[in-house]
Amino acid sequence: MAANDRKFIVFIGPPGSGKGTQAQIIKERLGLPHVATGDLFRYNLKNQTELGLLAKKYMDAGELVPDEVTIRMVAERLMREDCARGALLDGFPRNLKQAVALDEILAPYGGVTVAPLFEVDDEVVVERISGRRICRKCGAVYHVKFNPPKHEGVCDICGGELYQRDDDRPETVKTRLFVYYKQTAPIIGYYFCRGILVDINAMQPVEDVTRDLMATLKKRGLSD
Ligand code: ADP
Ligand code: ADP
Ligand code: ZN
């Protein structure tokens, strides 16, 4: 396969807009790995690595982890074998500096292919985040009301225990939304100017968002 046949999809949207949920659903259909910086940090934290311990301070405060370490982590992740056909990026880039760095990393492979923007009202984001539960073992994402597990507190997939992320508590959510508008929103214009931004109505039920997303990707030749 030619290097520029690689497909890099960048999901943009506020915390809780459903990026991770959709990535988990469509990754198999597209045959691309789900690269989520938040998950990479949480994995490092669970394993008590230096990177995990450094990231924790920022994550707990709802602030961005410094660009230098974040960019290095993503660059390494994208060089792994499973990204040979591209990747679904979720949670990166989160500011203009990271967007420019991603362009440099992907320059040999034709750059970012498409950037779906998950549009959701702030009230909905807060409701989604406050009910979000994650599996401690496999990272699957649930919602107490919108996507409950079959048995309360237990993962349908692996039987692991579900927990609420520390940074999903109301005090931190406010900061994260603020950080999104201030630091992340500028990348919307960055991708819009290149004609690769597509709006997705992410207020709909999960299945409808998936349908719109797949239709958009199909139009751009990313899916059959
Ligand atoms: P959500 O999707 O709910 O916003 P994430 O799991 O993507 O949450 O991110 C959780 C936290 O991890 C962020 O609040 C931030 O501290 C850190 N983080 C994730 N991605 C990045 C990034 N690209 N740059 C800096 N920090 C990041
Ligand atoms: P993000 O990755 O953008 O931070 P998530 O995919 O983790 O967002 O979704 C946030 C919460 O909202 C989760 O609890 C998830 O189960 C729920 N959720 C995701 N998409 C929808 C949807 N379309 N409708 C209702 N709830 C949703
Ligand atoms: Zn699980």
Side-chain angles (χ1 to χ4, degrees):
M1 180 181 290
N4 54 7
D5 279 343
R6 295 189 193 201
K7 310 292 186 198
F8 292 95
I9 305 170
V10 167
F11 280 180
I12 307 171
S17 55
K19 303 179 301 293
T21 299
Q22 294 298 329
Q24 282 299 331
I25 296 170
I26 69 168
K27 66 174 189 177
E28 262 115 47
R29 300 195 197 176
L30 299 174
L32 296 176
H34 175 201
V35 174
T37 38
D39 289 349
L40 292 172
F41 286 132
R42 279 184 290 277
Y43 178 82
N44 273 279
L45 187 55
K46 195 167 131 189
N47 291 295
Q48 302 268 307
T49 69
E50 207 176 310
L51 174 63
L53 296 174
L54 175 123
K56 182 177 164 41
K57 282 189 292 194
Y58 298 94
M59 294 172 84
D60 284 350
E63 302 283 352
L64 297 184
V65 178
D67 289 329
E68 199 200 328
V69 285
T70 305
I71 291 165
R72 198 181 323 128
M73 175 179 78
V74 171
E76 280 170 20
R77 180 65 189 86
L78 292 177
M79 289 310 124
R80 291 211 338 229
E81 185 63 35
D82 63 341
C83 296
R85 294 185 54 237
L88 262 171
L89 282 152
D90 160 15
F92 185 93
R94 247 177 162 95
N95 60 28
L96 284 172
K97 193 163 173 212
Q98 294 181 6
V100 171
L102 182 63
D103 280 343
E104 283 165 14
I105 296 167
L106 299 184
Y109 314 112
V112 174
T113 316
V114 61
L117 171 64
F118 285 58
E119 298 203 276
V120 195
D121 294 346
D122 288 352
E123 307 85 69
V124 174
V125 155
V126 171
E127 197 186 7
R128 285 190 187 172
I129 295 183
S130 58
R132 171 158 61 186
R133 298 292 181 272
I134 315 278
C135 173
R136 232 179 249 293
K137 236 162 112 186
C138 76
V141 179
Y142 296 87
H143 191 282
V144 290
K145 194 157 120 204
F146 306 130
N147 178 26
K150 289 198 186 74
H151 304 283
E152 200 188 318
V154 183
C155 177
D156 292 347
I157 303 163
C158 76
E161 178 206 1
L162 304 187
Y163 77 105
Q164 181 175 39
R165 276 167 47 180
D166 284 343
D167 62 341
D168 276 354
R169 297 179 200 281
E171 321 78 72
T172 324
V173 171
K174 251 202 208 147
T175 311
R176 285 162 60 204
L177 261 177
F178 188 72
V179 166
Y180 174 77
Y181 287 117
K182 194 157 176 211
Q183 303 193 50
T184 309
I187 70 173
I188 296 172
Y190 186 82
Y191 291 121
F192 175 78
C193 290
R194 298 207 197 154
I196 57 173
L197 188 82
V198 287
D199 290 333
I200 298 290
N201 173 5
M203 300 269 280
Q204 312 173 85
V206 172
E207 302 73 30
D208 296 1
V209 178
T210 307
R211 182 203 55 218
D212 288 0
L213 203 49
M214 288 305 290
T216 291
L217 297 179
K218 192 173 172 182
K219 257 194 236 152
R220 300 200 168 227
L222 276 114
S223 147
D224 308 328

